[in-house]
Amino acid sequence: MNVLVLVGSLREESTNRRLAETVGSHLPEGVAATVYGSLDALPFYSEDVDGDAAPTTVTEFRAAVSGADALVVVTPEYNGTMSGVIKNAIDWASRPFGAGAIAGKPVAVLAASGSARGAQWAREDAVKVLRIAGAAPLERTFGLGAAHSAFTDAGLANDAIAAELRALLGELHRELVSA
């Protein structure tokens, strides 16, 4: 099984990127994770450039989403909501509506934030948008608060937080197996 991880922060040293890079080590055995590295190459969604003549970056992205068994969306919280990078990726993956690459795809939503709330509003909005786009997001999400101090060179610094992430990713795996 293959999980595609979408990161909504373009900053190399972002805590959300670090969180995304830990996903593979917290998935159940036999499940592989790939962090998609080119969300910044997607143009802003426009019906004028969509369709048969969609840019190569879009067709490659849609193929990666289609080829994944599930998605993990990792978003920072900007101005009280998910990042524009993630929203744009969801928009491209959802078209054509009802038959897009994201249709019916199980999704876990994660976020890291310097605040204690762990980007709660961004996670809530991401679940809502994913559901409207036709994906099958898990109800439960994972928020990592005080994220700047939550990592060591080896990954997450706190065993309880790591266990919570493993539990959510295990839930995503169970969704895949039962589908």
Side-chain angles (χ1 to χ4, degrees), residues 3 7 21 28 36 43 50-51 93 97 106 120 145 158 161 175:
V3 173
V7 185
E21 291 167 353
Y36 193 82
D50 198 0
F97 185 75
Q120 178 182 347
N158 182 306
I161 292 171
E175 284 292 316

PDB file of all heavy atoms in Angstrom, residues 3 7 21 28 36 43 50-51 93 97 106 120 145 158 161 175:
ATOM      1  N   VAL A   3       0.960   5.511   0.468  1.00  0.00           N
ATOM      2  CA  VAL A   3       0.337   6.735   0.962  1.00  0.00           C
ATOM      3  C   VAL A   3       1.105   7.914   0.385  1.00  0.00           C
ATOM      4  O   VAL A   3       2.332   7.969   0.481  1.00  0.00           O
ATOM      5  CB  VAL A   3       0.361   6.773   2.504  1.00  0.00           C
ATOM      6  CG1 VAL A   3      -0.124   8.111   3.020  1.00  0.00           C
ATOM      7  CG2 VAL A   3      -0.465   5.636   3.084  1.00  0.00           C
ATOM      8  N   VAL A   7       2.346  18.293   1.409  1.00  0.00           N
ATOM      9  CA  VAL A   7       2.810  19.264   2.405  1.00  0.00           C
ATOM     10  C   VAL A   7       2.421  20.668   1.968  1.00  0.00           C
ATOM     11  O   VAL A   7       2.808  21.110   0.886  1.00  0.00           O
ATOM     12  CB  VAL A   7       4.342  19.193   2.589  1.00  0.00           C
ATOM     13  CG1 VAL A   7       4.786  20.110   3.718  1.00  0.00           C
ATOM     14  CG2 VAL A   7       4.793  17.769   2.848  1.00  0.00           C
ATOM     15  N   GLU A  21       7.679  14.393   6.897  1.00  0.00           N
ATOM     16  CA  GLU A  21       8.788  13.452   6.709  1.00  0.00           C
ATOM     17  C   GLU A  21       8.822  12.349   7.766  1.00  0.00           C
ATOM     18  O   GLU A  21       9.465  11.327   7.557  1.00  0.00           O
ATOM     19  CB  GLU A  21      10.109  14.224   6.664  1.00  0.00           C
ATOM     20  CG  GLU A  21      10.225  15.065   5.395  1.00  0.00           C
ATOM     21  CD  GLU A  21      11.355  16.081   5.423  1.00  0.00           C
ATOM     22  OE1 GLU A  21      12.005  16.254   6.484  1.00  0.00           O
ATOM     23  OE2 GLU A  21      11.580  16.716   4.370  1.00  0.00           O
ATOM     24  N   PRO A  28       1.891   1.641   9.603  1.00  0.00           N
ATOM     25  CA  PRO A  28       2.003   0.202   9.861  1.00  0.00           C
ATOM     26  C   PRO A  28       2.959  -0.462   8.862  1.00  0.00           C
ATOM     27  O   PRO A  28       3.173   0.039   7.748  1.00  0.00           O
ATOM     28  CB  PRO A  28       0.570  -0.313   9.653  1.00  0.00           C
ATOM     29  CG  PRO A  28      -0.301   0.881   9.839  1.00  0.00           C
ATOM     30  CD  PRO A  28       0.512   2.050   9.348  1.00  0.00           C
ATOM     31  N   TYR A  36       5.113  14.150  -1.664  1.00  0.00           N
ATOM     32  CA  TYR A  36       5.059  14.772  -2.984  1.00  0.00           C
ATOM     33  C   TYR A  36       5.830  16.083  -2.914  1.00  0.00           C
ATOM     34  O   TYR A  36       5.537  16.943  -2.093  1.00  0.00           O
ATOM     35  CB  TYR A  36       3.611  15.013  -3.412  1.00  0.00           C
ATOM     36  CG  TYR A  36       3.493  15.363  -4.868  1.00  0.00           C
ATOM     37  CD1 TYR A  36       3.492  14.365  -5.829  1.00  0.00           C
ATOM     38  CD2 TYR A  36       3.431  16.683  -5.295  1.00  0.00           C
ATOM     39  CE1 TYR A  36       3.408  14.663  -7.178  1.00  0.00           C
ATOM     40  CE2 TYR A  36       3.343  16.996  -6.639  1.00  0.00           C
ATOM     41  CZ  TYR A  36       3.339  15.980  -7.573  1.00  0.00           C
ATOM     42  OH  TYR A  36       3.264  16.287  -8.910  1.00  0.00           O
ATOM     43  N   PRO A  43       0.033  25.438 -11.014  1.00  0.00           N
ATOM     44  CA  PRO A  43      -0.496  26.801 -11.169  1.00  0.00           C
ATOM     45  C   PRO A  43      -1.750  26.938 -10.307  1.00  0.00           C
ATOM     46  O   PRO A  43      -2.328  25.937  -9.871  1.00  0.00           O
ATOM     47  CB  PRO A  43      -0.845  26.876 -12.657  1.00  0.00           C
ATOM     48  CG  PRO A  43      -1.094  25.468 -13.059  1.00  0.00           C
ATOM     49  CD  PRO A  43      -0.188  24.613 -12.204  1.00  0.00           C
ATOM     50  N   ASP A  50      -7.525  24.044 -17.329  1.00  0.00           N
ATOM     51  CA  ASP A  50      -7.812  22.647 -17.005  1.00  0.00           C
ATOM     52  C   ASP A  50      -8.343  21.925 -18.243  1.00  0.00           C
ATOM     53  O   ASP A  50      -8.571  22.524 -19.275  1.00  0.00           O
ATOM     54  CB  ASP A  50      -8.835  22.574 -15.868  1.00  0.00           C
ATOM     55  CG  ASP A  50      -8.847  21.212 -15.194  1.00  0.00           C
ATOM     56  OD1 ASP A  50      -8.074  20.324 -15.596  1.00  0.00           O
ATOM     57  OD2 ASP A  50      -9.635  21.032 -14.240  1.00  0.00           O
ATOM     58  N   GLY A  51      -8.500  20.631 -18.123  1.00  0.00           N
ATOM     59  CA  GLY A  51      -9.037  19.839 -19.228  1.00  0.00           C
ATOM     60  C   GLY A  51      -7.949  19.079 -19.954  1.00  0.00           C
ATOM     61  O   GLY A  51      -6.897  18.783 -19.399  1.00  0.00           O
ATOM     62  N   ALA A  93      -6.870  18.216  -7.665  1.00  0.00           N
ATOM     63  CA  ALA A  93      -7.128  16.775  -7.525  1.00  0.00           C
ATOM     64  C   ALA A  93      -8.608  16.428  -7.578  1.00  0.00           C
ATOM     65  O   ALA A  93      -8.967  15.281  -7.847  1.00  0.00           O
ATOM     66  CB  ALA A  93      -6.522  16.265  -6.215  1.00  0.00           C
ATOM     67  N   PHE A  97     -15.175  17.240 -11.076  1.00  0.00           N
ATOM     68  CA  PHE A  97     -15.876  16.942  -9.829  1.00  0.00           C
ATOM     69  C   PHE A  97     -16.594  15.597  -9.918  1.00  0.00           C
ATOM     70  O   PHE A  97     -17.265  15.303 -10.891  1.00  0.00           O
ATOM     71  CB  PHE A  97     -16.880  18.046  -9.480  1.00  0.00           C
ATOM     72  CG  PHE A  97     -17.513  17.820  -8.142  1.00  0.00           C
ATOM     73  CD1 PHE A  97     -16.790  18.070  -6.983  1.00  0.00           C
ATOM     74  CD2 PHE A  97     -18.788  17.316  -8.039  1.00  0.00           C
ATOM     75  CE1 PHE A  97     -17.353  17.835  -5.733  1.00  0.00           C
ATOM     76  CE2 PHE A  97     -19.357  17.069  -6.800  1.00  0.00           C
ATOM     77  CZ  PHE A  97     -18.636  17.336  -5.641  1.00  0.00           C
ATOM     78  N   PRO A 106      -9.255   7.849   0.918  1.00  0.00           N
ATOM     79  CA  PRO A 106      -9.100   8.084   2.356  1.00  0.00           C
ATOM     80  C   PRO A 106      -7.970   9.089   2.608  1.00  0.00           C
ATOM     81  O   PRO A 106      -6.927   9.028   1.956  1.00  0.00           O
ATOM     82  CB  PRO A 106      -8.726   6.711   2.919  1.00  0.00           C
ATOM     83  CG  PRO A 106      -9.077   5.728   1.856  1.00  0.00           C
ATOM     84  CD  PRO A 106      -8.980   6.467   0.554  1.00  0.00           C
ATOM     85  N   GLN A 120      -5.649  23.925  14.784  1.00  0.00           N
ATOM     86  CA  GLN A 120      -6.977  23.311  14.820  1.00  0.00           C
ATOM     87  C   GLN A 120      -7.891  23.819  13.712  1.00  0.00           C
ATOM     88  O   GLN A 120      -8.571  23.026  13.052  1.00  0.00           O
ATOM     89  CB  GLN A 120      -7.628  23.561  16.178  1.00  0.00           C
ATOM     90  CG  GLN A 120      -9.039  23.001  16.277  1.00  0.00           C
ATOM     91  CD  GLN A 120      -9.689  23.307  17.607  1.00  0.00           C
ATOM     92  OE1 GLN A 120      -9.036  23.726  18.552  1.00  0.00           O
ATOM     93  NE2 GLN A 120     -10.987  23.101  17.675  1.00  0.00           N
ATOM     94  N   GLY A 145       1.114  20.827  18.535  1.00  0.00           N
ATOM     95  CA  GLY A 145       1.335  22.157  19.079  1.00  0.00           C
ATOM     96  C   GLY A 145       2.767  22.304  19.563  1.00  0.00           C
ATOM     97  O   GLY A 145       3.477  21.312  19.734  1.00  0.00           O
ATOM     98  N   ASN A 158       8.535  13.345  21.621  1.00  0.00           N
ATOM     99  CA  ASN A 158       7.662  12.861  22.683  1.00  0.00           C
ATOM    100  C   ASN A 158       7.010  11.547  22.271  1.00  0.00           C
ATOM    101  O   ASN A 158       6.325  11.484  21.243  1.00  0.00           O
ATOM    102  CB  ASN A 158       6.613  13.947  22.966  1.00  0.00           C
ATOM    103  CG  ASN A 158       5.665  13.613  24.080  1.00  0.00           C
ATOM    104  OD1 ASN A 158       5.026  12.571  24.058  1.00  0.00           O
ATOM    105  ND2 ASN A 158       5.562  14.519  25.035  1.00  0.00           N
ATOM    106  N   ILE A 161       3.146  11.696  21.846  1.00  0.00           N
ATOM    107  CA  ILE A 161       2.740  12.339  20.598  1.00  0.00           C
ATOM    108  C   ILE A 161       2.964  11.391  19.422  1.00  0.00           C
ATOM    109  O   ILE A 161       2.118  11.263  18.536  1.00  0.00           O
ATOM    110  CB  ILE A 161       3.502  13.668  20.397  1.00  0.00           C
ATOM    111  CG1 ILE A 161       3.037  14.675  21.440  1.00  0.00           C
ATOM    112  CG2 ILE A 161       3.300  14.215  18.992  1.00  0.00           C
ATOM    113  CD1 ILE A 161       3.852  15.948  21.488  1.00  0.00           C
ATOM    114  N   GLU A 175      -8.959   1.988   7.309  1.00  0.00           N
ATOM    115  CA  GLU A 175      -9.888   2.451   6.258  1.00  0.00           C
ATOM    116  C   GLU A 175      -9.527   1.821   4.918  1.00  0.00           C
ATOM    117  O   GLU A 175     -10.395   1.441   4.145  1.00  0.00           O
ATOM    118  CB  GLU A 175      -9.848   3.978   6.138  1.00  0.00           C
ATOM    119  CG  GLU A 175     -10.566   4.700   7.229  1.00  0.00           C
ATOM    120  CD  GLU A 175     -12.068   4.505   7.186  1.00  0.00           C
ATOM    121  OE1 GLU A 175     -12.661   4.577   6.086  1.00  0.00           O
ATOM    122  OE2 GLU A 175     -12.650   4.262   8.260  1.00  0.00           O
TER     123      GLU A 175
END
